[in-house]
Amino acid sequence: MAVPDDSHTPSDQEKQLMAKETNQALGHRFGGGDYGCRPLTASVLVGASGSARSQWDRAAAPPEVTGAGLGAGPRSGARPAMEAWVRFSAQSQARERLLRAAQYACALAGAALSRAGNGSGGSAGTLSRLQHLEAHLSLGRKLLRLGGSAEALVGAQRSLHLPDPVLRFCLTLSHLNRALFLACDNILWAGKTGILPGLAMDKWSQRSFRYYLFALVVNLSRDAYEVRLLLERAEAARKRGKSPENRPQLQPDGRIQRLRLQLQLQLQLLLQVLRDNPPLLLDLLRNACDLVIPLERLGLCRSSPGIVGFCGLTSSVLSILTILHPWLKLKP
């Protein structure tokens, strides 16, 4: 087979020199490797199909990564990108929870300081700094919650496909109210930062806390439904596990004793159900603590700033626990 476009046949010394130069060039190109060195040398010297320039281009091209490598095709980076986005979203939520815990810790500390202080200048200055820090933490949380309405709407769309009608109703309504609450919260952030200077802050604050209250009430209704289902299952299992002669006999003539015994059995069963289901217990406590905040802000239940700070701090710590340990989050 003749070498194209070359009538001169190289000698053995010229062939060795050409092979050495080719390998050196490819070593510089690939950092010391020998990708394609032998095929390129053979094709240049022997004259395989195609010109020497095309053979150089094919040999200099980096090897394709397939199967066992990073994956083949244009969709190889889709899964790492999705995992990175999920990790980022989780970290952003964790930061928001940390800011929330710090905010209500400042409120709790300020309430304790104002109760224990005697009007001294040092206490007044510390209280003022705590209040300023609380306001800045609240504004930072609003910034982190920007765009959260879209996530709540996606959650509402997913909950429409739940088979249980009660859970479907409760979760969909909860996500919708949360989306409206976050939308009002975003408008409040725009007003506090000066983007909307003429915003009626009190009106939008009342709206946001009203939607927040609706979402919490629906969440507590969902928790009560879950507790009722678990109580029914536990009661059925208890009846199946005990024979009629081993069951506690109620006195027919003691109505008060009968009622007391029934209440005692139901309370023991409730404590057992909550102890055996930590996600439900944490969700119930968190929603109950959060309920105090909108009730106090809307004027429906008057409480001291210390109670509000304690409840907010407790619910924030419980939320952080569910982020650190995902198995503690109530599903769906």
Side-chain angles (χ1 to χ4, degrees):
M1 182 182 296
V3 179
D5 298 332
D6 197 352
S7 59
H8 174 68
T9 302
S11 62
D12 295 339
Q13 186 177 3
E14 291 176 345
K15 290 180 181 180
Q16 293 177 0
L17 181 60
M18 292 172 62
K20 183 178 180 180
E21 292 176 354
T22 302
N23 290 330
Q24 288 179 354
L26 287 176
H28 288 295
R29 172 67 176 84
F30 296 103
D34 59 343
Y35 297 105
C37 295
R38 293 175 183 174
L40 176 64
T41 306
S43 62
V44 171
L45 298 180
V46 179
S49 61
S51 63
R53 179 65 179 174
S54 63
Q55 297 292 335
W56 175 276
D57 293 338
R58 285 196 294 270
E64 295 183 358
V65 180
T66 58
L70 295 178
R75 302 175 65 181
S76 61
R79 182 167 296 179
M82 182 62 68
E83 291 175 354
W85 169 250
V86 170
R87 286 195 300 269
F88 173 79
S89 300
Q91 291 172 358
S92 178
Q93 184 183 7
R95 288 195 297 268
E96 194 272 335
R97 295 289 98 178
L98 286 174
L99 289 181
R100 188 177 190 267
Q103 174 189 349
Y104 285 106
C106 290
L108 182 60
L113 188 62
S114 62
R115 175 173 295 185
N118 297 322
S120 60
S123 300
T126 304
L127 183 60
S128 177
R129 285 192 292 271
L130 285 175
Q131 291 175 351
H132 282 296
L133 179 58
E134 181 183 353
H136 286 298
L137 290 172
S138 176
L139 191 61
R141 287 181 54 218
K142 294 181 186 299
L143 177 61
L144 289 176
R145 289 200 298 260
L146 286 178
S149 298
E151 183 181 357
L153 290 176
V154 172
Q157 185 179 6
R158 286 198 302 264
S159 62
L160 288 174
H161 303 286
L162 293 175
D164 193 310
V166 178
L167 289 180
R168 182 168 62 246
F169 173 77
C170 291
L171 290 177
T172 303
L173 193 60
S174 174
H175 284 302
L176 290 177
N177 279 281
R178 179 170 174 79
L180 293 173
F181 158 70
L182 291 174
C184 296
D185 194 70
N186 295 338
I187 295 175
L188 282 172
W189 174 83
K192 289 184 177 181
T193 54
I195 299 177
L196 299 176
L199 185 68
M201 304 292 293
D202 293 336
K203 182 178 70 175
W204 283 100
S205 178
Q206 292 289 315
R207 287 179 179 175
S208 65
F209 280 114
R210 194 175 298 118
Y211 290 127
Y212 186 35
L213 177 62
F214 291 160
L216 290 175
V217 170
V218 174
N219 289 338
L220 286 172
S221 302
R222 178 260 179 103
D223 292 337
Y225 175 71
E226 296 274 3
V227 169
R228 188 179 70 84
L229 289 180
L230 292 175
L231 283 176
E232 291 178 354
R233 295 173 187 173
E235 181 69 21
R238 186 177 64 86
K239 289 181 179 180
R240 288 194 303 267
K242 288 185 177 182
S243 58
E245 59 271 11
N246 293 332
R247 295 177 187 174
Q249 299 295 328
L250 300 178
Q251 297 295 332
D253 53 348
R255 181 175 300 178
I256 298 179
Q257 292 182 354
R258 185 186 306 119
L259 180 61
R260 184 181 303 172
L261 183 57
Q262 289 178 352
L263 290 177
Q264 183 179 359
L265 291 176
Q266 289 296 322
L267 181 59
Q268 291 177 354
L269 195 62
L270 176 62
L271 293 177
Q272 179 183 355
V273 164
L274 293 178
R275 185 177 65 248
D276 295 339
N277 296 272
L280 180 58
L281 176 60
L282 290 183
D283 194 74
L284 183 62
L285 291 176
R286 182 171 59 87
N287 290 324
C289 290
D290 283 335
L291 189 64
V292 178
I293 300 172
L295 287 177
E296 200 276 335
R297 292 290 191 271
L298 293 173
L300 300 177
C301 179
R302 294 297 179 182
S303 58
S304 64
I307 295 178
V308 174
F310 175 77
C311 292
L313 179 59
T314 303
S315 64
S316 301
V317 172
L318 294 177
S319 299
I320 292 173
L321 285 178
T322 58
I323 295 175
L324 293 176
H325 305 284
W327 68 273
L328 290 174
K329 184 176 178 61
L330 185 62
K331 296 179 180 62

Coordinates of all heavy atoms in Angstrom, one line a residue, residues 42 59 111 313:
A42 N 2.1 4.0 13.5 CA 1.9 3.0 12.4 C 1.2 3.5 11.2 O 1.6 3.3 10.1 CB 1.1 1.8 13.0
A59 N -6.0 10.4 16.7 CA -5.2 10.0 17.8 C -5.1 11.0 18.9 O -5.0 10.6 20.1 CB -3.7 9.7 17.3
A111 N -37.2 38.9 76.7 CA -38.3 38.8 77.6 C -37.8 38.6 79.0 O -38.2 39.2 80.0 CB -39.3 37.8 77.2
L313 N -38.7 28.9 69.7 CA -37.4 28.2 69.8 C -37.6 26.7 69.9 O -36.9 26.0 69.2 CB -36.7 28.7 71.1 CG -35.4 28.1 71.4 CD1 -34.4 28.3 70.3 CD2 -34.8 28.6 72.7

